[in-house]
Amino acid sequence: MHSCLAIEGITRPSSFLPLPGRPPSKFVFYVQTRSSSSQINFRHFHPLSSRWLTQIPTHHNNLQASGRRQLTSAPATMLPEYPVVADICAAFIAGGVALFFLLLWEETAKRGIFDQKLNRKLVHVSIGLVFMLCWPLFSSGLRGAFLACLTPGLNIFRMLLLGLGIWKDEATVKSMSRYGDYRELLKGPLYYATTITLACLIYWRTSPIAIALICNLCAGDGLADIVGRRFGTQKIPYNRSKSIAGSVAMASAGFLTSIGYMHYFSSFGFVQESWGMVLGFLVVSLASALVESLPISTELDDNLTVSLTSVLVGSLVF
């Protein structure tokens, strides 16, 4: 049974008499009542009509939590009645963002703004990380993961066509290869696109393995080369083509970027950030930097060895 508790407030007009040509002012009483189910009701009364106008039920727990923001997935916000269409729109957005950065680095390669090797590493660092920023646009589950991985998946076929010489694109070859040879795209760039596609499809955004894998591959491996070329005067004894500065930069960049994306995905509720996860990221980054410094990474390809190390070690620590 409802019982009247108090009059919350009164809105009083300046005059009880209406002005010529204007309707009477509203004199509203806000009355709070509480039921046995701890539900609070707010009702307001218009004395001229002598009846209750509206009833706005709210739960008292909701009043306490009104200041907290509840995060929902982007598709539910954009097109709540058409989640499939929302995921398709998210795929176009993610693809457009990735394409923008690819065209940007192709243009800098054409104009010779950066050294070719530096330009290649800028592509390496940015594309995967920017793509992962778009993951919250998609819905949870297999459909969202599948539509998200279309962006790097299409790039796999692009690398195959370019690397086999079927499709000619000098700007892309120049921005992604070390020496301007289109056949180079069948190695590092192809491994890169394949790794990100599989990480997206298999681990998706609820696994810290996906975060560690992409962050060490993109930020870690990319900055290792950039820093190593500029400050790597002291070489590693067991691999003279690698430097201590480059390995330190790789471990640091992969680790810090992983923490950043952990916090980013945690804000959407995809992962639960913890000190244990931070420690896991540190172990994966150190292991990836160690493997990248070995001669086997030079003989094979560090995109392949770093990816495999991140997956194997990540599966053990997470």
Side-chain angles (χ1 to χ4, degrees):
M1 179 179 295
H2 289 71
S3 59
C4 182
L5 297 180
I7 297 178
E8 288 292 314
I10 299 176
T11 304
R12 182 186 182 97
S14 60
S15 175
F16 290 101
L17 297 178
L19 296 175
R22 295 178 59 184
S25 300
K26 184 182 294 186
F27 185 56
V28 181
F29 295 88
Y30 293 93
V31 180
Q32 174 182 330
T33 61
R34 184 186 299 270
S35 65
S36 59
S37 62
S38 299
Q39 187 179 31
I40 298 174
N41 296 322
F42 291 96
R43 299 193 295 170
H44 58 272
F45 181 75
H46 199 308
L48 297 181
S49 62
S50 300
R51 63 187 178 87
W52 295 104
L53 295 179
T54 61
Q55 181 173 338
I56 309 174
T58 58
H59 197 277
H60 70 286
N61 290 334
N62 292 340
L63 295 178
Q64 296 175 358
S66 60
R68 291 180 296 183
R69 182 168 58 98
Q70 183 177 2
L71 293 171
T72 57
S73 62
T77 304
M78 294 189 297
L79 296 168
E81 297 180 358
Y82 306 99
V84 177
V85 177
D87 276 335
I88 294 174
C89 292
F92 277 103
I93 294 173
V97 171
L99 180 62
F100 168 79
F101 278 89
L102 284 173
L103 294 176
L104 173 65
W105 300 129
E106 286 179 9
E107 190 65 25
T108 57
K110 285 181 184 178
R111 298 175 180 272
I113 297 176
F114 303 112
D115 176 76
Q116 183 172 342
K117 294 179 180 179
L118 175 60
N119 199 97
R120 172 178 170 270
K121 284 302 176 180
L122 291 175
V123 176
H124 188 100
V125 171
S126 62
I127 298 300
L129 296 180
V130 169
F131 168 65
M132 194 160 55
L133 283 176
C134 298
W135 285 9
L137 295 175
F138 297 87
S139 64
S140 301
L142 184 60
R143 185 186 66 232
F146 176 77
L147 289 174
C149 77
L150 287 179
T151 296
L154 292 175
N155 208 39
I156 294 176
F157 293 100
R158 184 164 170 256
M159 294 301 102
L160 288 172
L161 293 175
L162 290 170
L164 294 172
I166 300 174
W167 180 17
K168 304 294 183 181
D169 189 343
E170 185 179 348
T172 300
V173 172
K174 191 174 182 179
S175 65
M176 293 187 179
S177 63
R178 285 187 175 92
Y179 308 107
D181 187 351
Y182 66 89
R183 289 170 294 186
E184 293 181 54
L185 301 185
L186 294 176
K187 295 183 179 179
L190 180 61
Y191 299 151
Y192 181 92
T194 303
T195 296
I196 294 179
T197 302
L198 293 178
C200 177
L201 184 61
I202 297 174
Y203 297 106
W204 197 209
R205 59 195 184 191
T206 58
S207 174
I209 297 177
I211 298 175
L213 171 58
I214 295 179
C215 288
N216 283 286
L217 174 64
C218 299
D221 185 43
L223 287 178
D225 185 80
I226 294 174
V227 173
R229 290 182 183 279
R230 282 157 179 73
F231 307 103
T233 54
Q234 188 172 357
K235 301 299 181 179
I236 297 176
Y238 54 83
N239 188 358
R240 305 303 297 177
S241 64
K242 302 288 183 179
S243 66
I244 295 177
S247 294
V248 171
M250 177 175 179
S252 302
F255 173 60
L256 295 176
T257 310
S258 296
I259 293 178
Y261 273 90
M262 175 192 68
H263 183 71
Y264 176 66
F265 284 151
S266 176
S267 67
F268 292 96
F270 301 148
V271 298
Q272 183 65 45
E273 57 183 349
S274 65
W275 287 111
M277 189 177 293
V278 171
L279 180 60
F281 286 136
L282 178 60
V283 173
V284 175
S285 296
L286 290 175
S288 298
L290 175 62
V291 171
E292 193 269 345
S293 69
L294 297 176
I296 189 174
S297 293
T298 305
E299 296 174 2
L300 295 176
D301 190 281
D302 49 12
N303 287 336
L304 183 61
T305 56
V306 168
S307 300
L308 291 176
T309 302
S310 297
V311 171
L312 293 176
V313 178
S315 299
L316 295 175
V317 299
F318 294 120

